[in-house]
Amino acid sequence: MNATHPHHPRPIRVAMLARAVFPLHGYGGIERHVYHLTKYLTRLGVEVTLYVQSPPDNAEQGDLQPHAIETLRYDYTSPLLAPNGVIGRQINFPIYSWRIGHRAARRVQHGDFDVVHSQGLCAFGYAVARNRITLLRSVPFVANPHGMEEFRTPDRRKWLAYAPFRWLYAYGHRQADRVIATDACTKDDIPHYLRVDPDRVVVIPSAIDVEECLAQVRSELRTALRFRFGLGSSDPILLSVGRLEPNKGFDILIAALARLRNELPPRWRWIVVGNGSARAALEQQAQAAGIAEHTLFVGRLNDEELHSLYEEIDLFVHPTRYEGSSLVTLEAMIHRRPVVASAIGGIPDKVFPGRNGLLVQPGDVDDLTAQLQAALATRDRWPAWGAESEKIVRSTFDWPIVAAQTLQLYRELLSFGISTSQPTRSE
């Protein structure tokens, strides 16, 4: 696909506004999203200038190679508050978004960019500038709100504490020409939560890098992991991956497995990858439920370990109470694993009952127990489900495909003009 500007023979120039990017700032889902989007847009010929917070002194850039990187201080509260705690984040992120948005706006005014693309709350700062400066409205503005956890948290205290964030999110994204929903099944959440005009919502899925994921697998590491976790005689092996926090629903899975312990084969094993504040409570729950000897909490694994482990398991189980796009589900799928997962967030776009796995009502122990029973009763279908999982990822959720869809959106906005129904200054 040609990445030149439709009206001028030069590359499309994009200002990508984000707080963090892998590997400079961590390993989370949004960090990896920004990294892979930048990587594959660059491969398509787009000149991406990445705006992110200043990295730690010891940060590694890896093969991150945007056209340019602009950095800005993020943490304005240390050592008084944790920079990403509930209070610290509400101070730091709006200031950061304001400053980085206005910095990008100055360059847009000088004609340096053809498109501005924001990630998460970074929409806010640029939206303020765009609502004040008419010239900025002639340059397309694309915004991606991601999972919007501030709108979905079941924790009443967090929901109240995040009220300012919800306003900033809604304001920032209402100023955008197009807002990206990362899953077809959640696209209506954007008009619902953010009050964005539905005509401005486009679906471009989040993705994984298939080539990169499969390249992480090491045969010698698979052997080492089998020995390390005692998997040689285990059957079947269930795997869950995620932060050990209440919203991930691992307590629900423990309750379901406890109900099934007399029906499961005698050598079954459940491996849990991840760390978090709920780990001790989950370990105690597994002990009290009588399944501790079958359960293994292994903490965090690096990428090579995790992708090698995916090759050793039989069934991926993701009992989350709420979720964004669920990249770990895609990771399991590209390794040809069947999936039992909650019907929440973007998961129903990836897991299709009877085709590559089964869906569960989130937080429902009875339903999770029933669906695990159904999966175990149809174990002969797991290889076919796994093959279908791989096919789904390769056809829809691989980054080269998704980056090309993003570039096509840029080209449409530049070729046909941005939406004429621009927000007013009173919004």
Side-chain angles (χ1 to χ4, degrees), residues 263-299:
E263 301 178 35
L264 286 160
R267 295 178 298 172
W268 69 275
R269 176 66 60 92
W270 176 42
I271 302 174
V272 187
V273 175
N275 282 320
S277 63
R279 176 167 179 167
L282 291 170
E283 290 177 332
Q284 291 173 4
Q285 182 187 357
Q287 184 70 43
I291 63 169
E293 65 177 306
H294 296 278
T295 302
L296 188 60
F297 292 87
V298 301

Side-chain angles (χ1 to χ4, degrees), residues 166-186:
R166 291 194 294 276
W167 185 88
L168 296 174
Y169 254 112
Y171 174 86
H173 288 82
R174 286 202 304 273
Q175 315 309 312
D177 301 300
R178 296 294 182 270
V179 179
I180 294 176
T182 52
D183 301 283
C185 60
T186 61

Side-chain angles (χ1 to χ4, degrees), residues 291-309:
I291 63 169
E293 65 177 306
H294 296 278
T295 302
L296 188 60
F297 292 87
V298 301
R300 185 181 175 277
L301 301 180
N302 64 36
D303 286 349
E304 289 188 351
E305 290 172 325
L306 179 56
H307 285 285
S308 296
L309 181 59

Side-chain angles (χ1 to χ4, degrees), residues 35 103 115 186 194 310 320 384:
Y35 165 76
R103 180 185 287 190
V115 177
T186 61
L194 304 181
Y310 280 125
T320 182

Side-chain angles (χ1 to χ4, degrees), residues 156-268:
R156 185 67 178 174
R157 292 171 300 177
K158 281 189 176 182
W159 192 88
L160 291 171
Y162 281 141
F165 262 34
R166 291 194 294 276
W167 185 88
L168 296 174
Y169 254 112
Y171 174 86
H173 288 82
R174 286 202 304 273
Q175 315 309 312
D177 301 300
R178 296 294 182 270
V179 179
I180 294 176
T182 52
D183 301 283
C185 60
T186 61
K187 68 177 182 178
D188 292 339
D189 288 350
I190 291 175
H192 174 70
Y193 289 124
L194 304 181
R195 291 186 288 136
V196 170
D197 183 343
D199 290 340
R200 296 190 188 182
V201 178
V202 296
V203 178
I204 301 179
S206 194
I208 60 171
D209 188 332
V210 168
E211 175 185 310
E212 181 181 280
C213 288
L214 298 180
Q216 301 281 352
V217 178
R218 301 282 185 272
S219 59
E220 68 279 7
L221 190 50
R222 290 179 61 181
T223 301
L225 290 169
R226 284 197 299 270
F227 178 78
R228 175 178 165 188
F229 299 146
L231 303 181
S233 61
S234 298
D235 182 64
I237 302 171
L238 282 55
L239 175 68
S240 297
V241 179
R243 297 187 310 275
L244 303 190
E245 305 292 346
N247 65 288
K248 291 302 180 182
F250 295 130
D251 58 318
I252 302 296
L253 183 49
I254 290 174
L257 291 172
R259 293 184 182 183
L260 294 171
R261 65 179 180 270
N262 294 326
E263 301 178 35
L264 286 160
R267 295 178 298 172
W268 69 275

Side-chain angles (χ1 to χ4, degrees), residues 35-36 64 82 84 89 100 102 120 168 173 196 209 265 339 341 398 400:
Y35 165 76
H36 285 112
L64 180 66
N84 282 308
R89 187 165 174 254
I100 213 164
H102 282 71
L168 296 174
H173 288 82
V196 170
D209 188 332
V339 178
D398 193 7

Side-chain angles (χ1 to χ4, degrees), residues 285-355:
Q285 182 187 357
Q287 184 70 43
I291 63 169
E293 65 177 306
H294 296 278
T295 302
L296 188 60
F297 292 87
V298 301
R300 185 181 175 277
L301 301 180
N302 64 36
D303 286 349
E304 289 188 351
E305 290 172 325
L306 179 56
H307 285 285
S308 296
L309 181 59
Y310 280 125
E311 294 288 327
E312 296 300 314
I313 63 104
D314 299 299
L315 179 68
F316 185 74
V317 187
H318 195 49
T320 182
R321 286 183 168 89
Y322 71 94
E323 190 79 357
S325 288
S326 191
L327 297 184
V328 293
T329 298
L330 292 177
E331 288 178 349
M333 288 168 60
I334 197 55
H335 290 280
R336 302 172 68 90
R337 301 304 124 189
V339 178
V340 173
S342 298
I344 196 73
I347 293 174
D349 276 356
K350 303 168 180 68
V351 179
F352 301 91
R355 180 177 164 192

